[in-house]
Amino acid sequence: MEKTQRHHSPDFKKNAVLLSYERKNVVDTAKELEINPKLLSKWRVIYRKYKEGSFPGEGKKRFYFENSKIFELENKLAESQLRLEILKNGLKIKPLGKQEIYNFIHQNKKKYPIGIMCQVLGVSTSMYNLRIQQPLSKREIKACLLKEAITTVFYEFKQYSGCVLIARELCKRGVKISEDQVTFYMKQLGLKRKVKKKYKATTDSNHKLYIYPNILKRQFTTNKPSMAWVSDITYIQIEKRFLYLTVIIDLYDRKIVGWNLSSVLSTNSTILPAWNMALSNRKIQDGLIFHSDRGTQYANKVFTSTLKHYRCVQSMSGKGNSIDNAVSESFFNSLKRELIYSQKILLTPKEMRAEILNYIENWYNKKRRHSALNYKTIEEFNKEKKYKK
């Protein structure tokens, strides 16, 4: 019959050595303790060398008694590093609620001590044991699923959406949830909408060109396409310089019907290419109101002649009054908050062009929900209007 190997605790080893010194007989002490005399002799050799640091425990390093303080500091450092590692990994799931924390602890119990994980992540060991043994209630499962859905939409919409937009989007996807519920869960999850930032104006209205009156007069809704278009230009910083984005928006459905990204602010590089794109995307009607600021790009004879050729009525904002062109201003606010300010590094012109293209054509014109359209996408709004007709 095979003998099983005995495991002796650090205290047992230390006390056995001290007892052997007291009895002054290794063999008799070993027999009394039912251990091998050679093993006890080995322990005595270790003790003479390391003293109190002889038997630190399984998997731990022996240390000289004189260096005990260093040993303690090393242990504390190792534990601090372990806690930091747990915290870094746990921060990702902490906003998702305590049940996700319990699941994280359960999944990593072989990698980290359970007690330390509970301390670092702010839950009790007893509650962890209870939650692992007892499944969630239907109400708790529903709350977890709603939190997961809210988090998905929040990051899918580039962290700009508030409770209204998220609630509308989830309802559209078949998830029954109110705006108040979204607000409640967003607070629990620590999800905060990105704050708007101001941007510089690119308008140069200090010129002697003719200024057209404000025909639009802040009437930002129309009942048909191509009754009124608004336009504006903004700067976008890239590597070492700026690019200039020009957009044309149809007030009927808030669609960007024309846009252009240029490296200079001339009329031929900004509004004319955007105008040509708008013509290719949407038919215009006689008497279309084209509204903009007083910039030289719009007051230039080349562009004013173009508008007259297409029998458009030109309209311009009051001096220094950005509210007169609020729809364009609002678009640039959204663009910079949702795309530009989220960039961690400055992009190259080619990279920025690709980002702008994707944002306008694939996101803003197709998937984004607009408050002016009763929180519908542009495509949903146009389908509904067509169906009613």
Side-chain angles (χ1 to χ4, degrees):
M1 187 175 178
E2 294 183 2
K3 293 183 179 180
T4 57
Q5 187 177 0
R6 292 176 62 189
H7 295 280
H8 305 286
S9 68
D11 287 338
F12 178 85
K13 295 176 183 179
K14 177 184 174 182
N15 291 331
V17 171
L18 295 177
L19 184 63
S20 69
Y21 286 150
E22 185 180 330
R23 301 282 176 82
K24 298 180 180 180
N25 190 312
V26 174
V27 177
D28 291 342
T29 305
K31 286 182 180 180
E32 185 178 344
L33 297 174
E34 297 182 349
I35 58 176
N36 192 310
K38 290 183 179 180
L39 183 59
L40 180 55
S41 297
K42 179 182 177 182
W43 291 349
R44 283 163 61 97
V45 172
I46 294 171
Y47 189 79
R48 281 196 296 271
K49 184 176 181 181
Y50 293 100
K51 300 297 182 185
E52 296 297 327
S54 301
F55 312 111
E58 187 177 355
K60 296 181 181 179
K61 187 179 178 181
R62 292 191 182 95
F63 60 93
Y64 290 101
F65 179 68
E66 293 77 6
N67 297 333
S68 59
K69 289 186 177 180
I70 296 175
F71 181 76
E72 290 175 7
L73 291 173
E74 287 178 347
N75 280 344
K76 288 182 179 179
L77 177 61
E79 185 176 335
S80 297
Q81 291 174 338
L82 179 65
R83 286 174 175 270
L84 181 61
E85 184 178 339
I86 293 170
L87 185 61
K88 284 182 178 178
N89 294 331
L91 279 176
K92 301 173 185 177
I93 51 90
K94 200 166 184 180
L96 301 178
K98 287 192 175 180
Q99 186 58 40
E100 289 300 322
I101 296 176
Y102 297 137
N103 292 339
F104 171 82
I105 294 172
H106 186 67
Q107 292 167 4
N108 292 274
K109 63 181 181 179
K110 292 183 179 180
K111 187 176 180 180
Y112 308 118
I114 292 176
I116 294 179
M117 282 194 287
C118 289
Q119 288 177 9
V120 171
L121 299 175
V123 296
S124 67
T125 308
S126 58
M127 282 302 297
Y128 159 73
N129 293 327
L130 179 64
R131 282 297 188 183
I132 292 303
Q133 295 170 7
Q134 181 179 341
L136 290 174
S137 65
K138 290 183 179 180
R139 184 178 178 181
E140 289 172 322
I141 291 173
K142 183 180 178 181
C144 288
L145 292 174
L146 288 176
K147 287 179 181 179
E148 184 178 349
I150 290 168
T151 305
T152 300
V153 173
F154 179 74
Y155 286 105
E156 184 181 323
F157 283 15
K158 302 174 179 64
Q159 305 177 46
Y160 84 91
S161 295
C163 61
V164 177
L165 280 172
I166 291 177
R168 297 293 179 94
E169 180 64 24
L170 288 175
C171 289
K172 191 69 179 179
R173 297 182 184 187
V175 180
K176 293 182 179 180
I177 191 169
S178 67
E179 294 172 15
D180 290 338
Q181 283 179 300
V182 174
T183 301
F184 176 75
Y185 288 130
M186 284 182 72
K187 286 182 179 179
Q188 283 192 341
L189 295 167
L191 302 178
K192 293 183 180 180
R193 182 181 178 180
K194 288 184 176 179
V195 180
K196 292 182 180 181
K197 296 184 180 180
K198 293 182 179 180
Y199 61 93
K200 295 179 182 178
T202 55
T203 303
D204 178 16
S205 57
N206 188 21
H207 54 74
K208 295 182 179 180
L209 299 172
Y210 180 74
I211 301 299
Y212 287 83
N214 186 352
I215 305 298
L216 187 64
K217 295 181 180 178
R218 303 184 186 178
Q219 298 298 313
F220 298 132
T221 57
T222 63
N223 54 21
K224 292 181 180 179
S226 297
M227 291 185 66
W229 290 356
V230 295
S231 179
D232 203 355
I233 302 171
T234 192
Y235 83 99
I236 296 174
Q237 187 172 2
I238 57 170
E239 286 183 341
K240 300 179 182 179
R241 58 192 178 94
F242 296 99
L243 292 178
Y244 303 96
L245 176 64
T246 307
V247 297
I248 299 175
I249 304 172
D250 192 327
L251 291 181
Y252 171 70
D253 56 4
R254 295 302 196 268
K255 185 172 184 178
I256 309 294
V257 292
W259 64 275
N260 189 59
L261 197 62
S262 60
S263 57
V264 293
L265 274 170
S266 66
T267 300
N268 289 328
S269 300
T270 55
I271 184 57
L272 282 180
W275 172 262
N276 291 331
M277 180 188 287
L279 290 181
S280 65
N281 287 331
R282 188 161 285 187
K283 293 181 180 180
I284 64 173
Q285 300 180 19
D286 288 350
L288 178 147
I289 297 174
F290 187 92
H291 184 83
S292 67
D293 58 30
R294 299 181 169 201
T296 55
Q297 297 87 355
Y298 299 105
N300 187 288
K301 288 184 179 181
V302 174
F303 185 64
T304 58
S305 298
T306 301
L307 291 180
K308 288 177 182 178
H309 174 75
Y310 286 95
R311 298 178 183 178
C312 298
V313 178
Q314 191 161 7
S315 172
M316 290 185 175
S317 301
K319 186 175 182 180
N321 199 333
S322 60
I323 299 177
D324 289 346
N325 202 6
V327 175
S328 296
E329 298 278 351
S330 177
F331 167 74
F332 286 142
N333 275 329
S334 299
L335 170 77
K336 297 211 169 185
R337 185 178 69 249
E338 297 168 18
L339 176 65
I340 307 302
Y341 296 138
S342 64
Q343 304 291 340
K344 295 181 180 179
I345 59 172
L346 293 178
L347 304 182
T348 64
K350 184 178 180 180
E351 290 171 335
M352 182 56 73
R353 193 174 298 276
E355 291 289 336
I356 295 293
L357 171 66
N358 183 60
Y359 179 85
I360 292 177
E361 301 297 348
N362 298 327
W363 168 249
Y364 194 87
N365 280 351
K366 291 184 178 179
K367 297 180 180 179
R368 192 182 191 277
R369 298 193 173 275
H370 301 265
S371 58
L373 306 180
N374 196 22
Y375 296 99
K376 297 180 178 65
T377 66
I378 292 173
E379 290 183 348
E380 288 172 352
F381 174 80
N382 285 320
K383 284 181 181 178
E384 185 179 280
K385 289 289 183 180
K386 187 176 181 181
Y387 176 77
K388 287 181 179 179
K389 288 179 182 180

